[in-house]
Amino acid sequence: MTGQVRGVQLARLLGQWHALPGRRRSPDYVALATTVRGLLADGRLPLGVRLPAERELAEALRISRTTVTAAYRHLRETGHLASRRGAGSWTMLPGNHRVASTGLWTPLDDREMLDLGVAALAAPPQLLTAARAAAEDLPRYLGGAGYHPTGIIELREAVADAYTARGLPTSADQIMVTSGTQHALDLVLRLALAPGGNVLVESPTYPNALAALAGRRARITTHGLATDAGGWEPDLLLASLRQTRPKLAYLIPEFQNPTGHLMPAVLRERVVAAAHAVGTDLIIDESFVDLALDGTELPPPVAVYDRHSRVISIGGMSKPYWGGLRIGWVRASAPQVQRLAAVRVGVDMASPVLDQLVAVHLLADADAIVADRRVQLAAQRDALLGALAHRLPDWRVTVPRGGVTLWAELDGPVSSALARASEEVGVRLAPGPRFGLDGTLERFLRLPFTLPAADLVEAVGRIAAVRYDLDRAGPQRWREPAVIA
């Protein structure tokens, strides 16, 4: 079990759980049960959490206890809830499910799904060549134990050189190799954040970062991003830092996930200065830094403005190269890297040597690989934008200058309902509330442009048909995927 959710907390997550206006209304208990299943499906409600007592939830929702009782019974019948008299009710998995590419549980029969829930590309053709070359390099490492807590020196030097080329002089001693960017974040949180510490994040932000913070029982404060190309409101962001004085701030300044915004240089400098003044450490997620599109010129790295070791940068190979190559890194001061390595020994010891060697060869060919990726992503982004303009003209989208995602403002607060209904037509979506707290962002949807252009156009056509039906057709018989915490 992961804990208990109180009635008021679940009420916030449920949001507008009643049937949508204009549709033939299903019974309230069915609508409530369906919305709880949706929270399980998109990860906002963990597996094994105890739900509030029926009376408590009824009071929080201002509905009859009979409705909640019937909804809980319905969830037990579908395999999403287990109850024990006198002990409570816990969320659980129905049978015959598997873990999808998003990390969420999904039915076994959906392997042909057009998956817009994950923002990652297939492997580049150069990966096979890099893997063969890495295998040839491997023998010189086989005489040792194979444990390198900070990473093999060739990869640390290659990553350091990439930072230096961006205008941030970096030595190999300032780099620690990790098993992906998420692992890098986890290690930094273990080192820098005590349980219950205060953290400032953007809203919306990366869902797995929120999950990592929840794992540390962090107290999260959010800074809302504007929907236009400006993104961050400078005065509000700096005021949030000064007023809340968080222990950490987690920011994604390069093509922010999910909005695609790019933080200007002047704000980067001001954020670092404000963080130093209030004693806040900055975790800067650079996952998308290589994926500038349309010739966009990048501002200097945030750490360029750091004079007091307040900035810890994390990045990795998943977005520009391949998610299956679990290689990430942390750039920090050399003493911080050594402290991180000491923390790491109690977690996973070290990253695989062979994977690191593959990364070395890919980074040696980075110019050609990344250039191809940018051309590919620009074409797929434009195909997605064209399909949205044609089929869903009422949706508002700011064209991102890089990254791999669009952040669409819908024509109503229907993101979760649209995601559930889209499963029935073979499209998986990541609804807006996954990227925020307490059930907000129902008017938004993240749409990655990482699939082939033809698949993106087909997916938009199916989504448009579902959106039309939401207001005009009877209730859908939605699939019932669940989530692993």
Side-chain angles (χ1 to χ4, degrees):
M1 293 180 294
T2 60
Q4 180 177 2
V5 60
R6 307 302 306 177
V8 291
Q9 294 172 312
L10 184 54
R12 285 197 298 268
L13 289 173
L14 289 167
Q16 299 181 3
W17 59 271
H18 289 284
L20 293 173
R23 299 183 64 197
R24 186 173 73 246
R25 292 185 64 87
S26 57
D28 280 351
Y29 81 89
V30 174
L32 178 56
T34 298
T35 308
V36 170
R37 289 199 298 271
L39 295 177
L40 283 166
D42 63 32
R44 283 175 280 161
L45 190 61
L47 177 68
V49 70
R50 190 168 72 176
L51 295 187
E54 295 169 1
R55 185 184 302 278
E56 181 185 352
L57 182 58
E59 291 176 354
L61 295 175
R62 299 181 180 180
I63 59 176
S64 73
R65 182 178 176 181
T66 302
T67 299
V68 177
T69 300
Y72 279 18
R73 182 176 63 249
H74 191 63
L75 289 167
R76 286 191 292 271
E77 291 171 352
T78 60
H80 292 84
L81 199 64
S83 300
R84 194 165 63 246
R85 184 178 296 277
S89 299
W90 290 266
T91 55
M92 61 177 292
L93 289 175
N96 300 320
H97 281 62
R98 66 179 179 89
V99 180
S101 55
T102 56
L104 305 180
W105 287 91
T106 190
L108 289 170
D109 60 352
D110 71 345
R111 297 180 187 275
E112 301 303 318
M113 187 80 65
L114 293 174
D115 194 348
L116 297 183
V118 60
L121 291 160
Q126 294 92 336
L127 182 63
L128 283 177
T129 301
R132 294 188 184 103
E136 294 177 359
D137 291 341
L138 185 61
R140 69 174 184 267
Y141 281 92
L142 298 181
Y147 297 127
H148 303 269
T150 57
I152 63 173
I153 187 61
E154 295 100 319
L155 182 53
R156 291 162 59 207
E157 288 176 344
V159 174
D161 289 346
Y163 275 106
T164 300
R166 291 171 55 202
L168 179 61
T170 303
S171 68
D173 290 341
Q174 293 177 268
I175 301 296
M176 185 175 80
V177 178
T178 63
S179 298
T181 310
Q182 185 71 15
H183 181 226
L185 174 60
D186 179 75
L187 289 175
V188 172
L189 294 180
R190 288 172 184 264
L191 176 68
L193 185 67
N198 190 17
V199 180
L200 177 68
V201 303
E202 299 145 334
S203 180
T205 192
Y206 180 46
N208 288 343
L210 294 175
L213 292 169
R216 297 296 297 169
R217 301 196 300 277
R219 292 181 293 113
I220 300 175
T221 302
T222 60
H223 165 69
L225 296 182
T227 57
D228 60 19
W232 299 266
E233 296 286 351
D235 292 339
L236 291 178
L237 175 56
L238 298 175
S240 295
L241 281 169
R242 294 174 184 132
Q243 292 168 9
T244 62
R245 306 178 72 89
K247 172 59 179 172
L248 295 175
Y250 170 79
L251 303 174
I252 312 174
E254 282 89 18
F255 314 118
Q256 198 263 355
N257 185 7
T259 64
H261 295 317
L262 179 63
M263 183 182 288
V266 64
L267 181 54
R268 295 172 184 232
E269 184 173 11
R270 294 178 68 189
V271 165
V272 173
H276 171 61
V278 299
T280 297
D281 291 330
L282 299 176
I283 303 176
I284 302 300
D285 189 336
E286 299 181 315
S287 294
F288 301 94
V289 71
D290 293 317
L291 299 178
L293 305 179
D294 306 327
T296 297
E297 184 175 347
L298 288 177
V302 173
V304 162
Y305 306 104
D306 181 28
R307 300 292 183 269
H308 306 280
S309 298
R310 287 289 182 189
V311 176
I312 299 176
S313 304
I314 60 176
M317 307 288 286
S318 295
K319 301 308 179 183
Y321 298 92
W322 187 44
L325 186 66
R326 301 309 301 150
I327 294 294
W329 50 76
V330 178
R331 184 207 178 271
S333 69
Q336 287 173 318
V337 166
Q338 292 306 312
R339 291 196 293 272
L340 283 167
V343 170
R344 182 190 193 156
V345 168
V347 178
D348 74 336
M349 300 297 288
S351 297
V353 171
L354 184 57
D355 286 16
Q356 294 184 69
L357 290 170
V358 173
V360 169
H361 286 281
L362 287 173
L363 290 176
D365 198 18
D367 290 345
I369 296 173
V370 171
D372 290 345
R373 292 304 217 189
R374 289 172 176 167
V375 171
Q376 175 188 358
L377 286 169
Q380 291 171 185
R381 179 202 60 186
D382 294 345
L384 178 57
L385 287 168
L388 289 170
H390 176 60
R391 298 300 303 272
L392 292 159
D394 292 334
W395 290 13
R396 295 178 53 197
V397 179
T398 299
V399 180
R401 293 182 289 164
V404 300
T405 63
L406 302 179
W407 185 239
E409 184 176 359
L410 312 184
D411 55 344
V414 297
S415 183
S416 294
L418 185 64
R420 293 194 296 267
S422 293
E423 292 267 342
E424 281 301 307
V425 296
V427 179
R428 176 171 292 115
L429 298 175
R434 280 200 67 198
F435 302 86
L437 299 173
D438 294 336
T440 58
L441 304 173
E442 276 288 1
R443 291 188 67 93
F444 295 91
L445 185 69
R446 189 189 74 170
L447 296 170
F449 41 92
T450 49
L451 293 180
D455 288 346
L456 293 171
V457 172
E458 173 65 21
V460 170
R462 298 182 193 181
I463 295 167
V466 167
R467 179 66 191 100
Y468 180 88
D469 288 343
L470 279 180
D471 288 335
R472 293 162 180 81
Q476 301 284 330
R477 292 182 300 163
W478 291 324
R479 290 173 182 248
E480 298 161 359
V483 64
I484 185 170

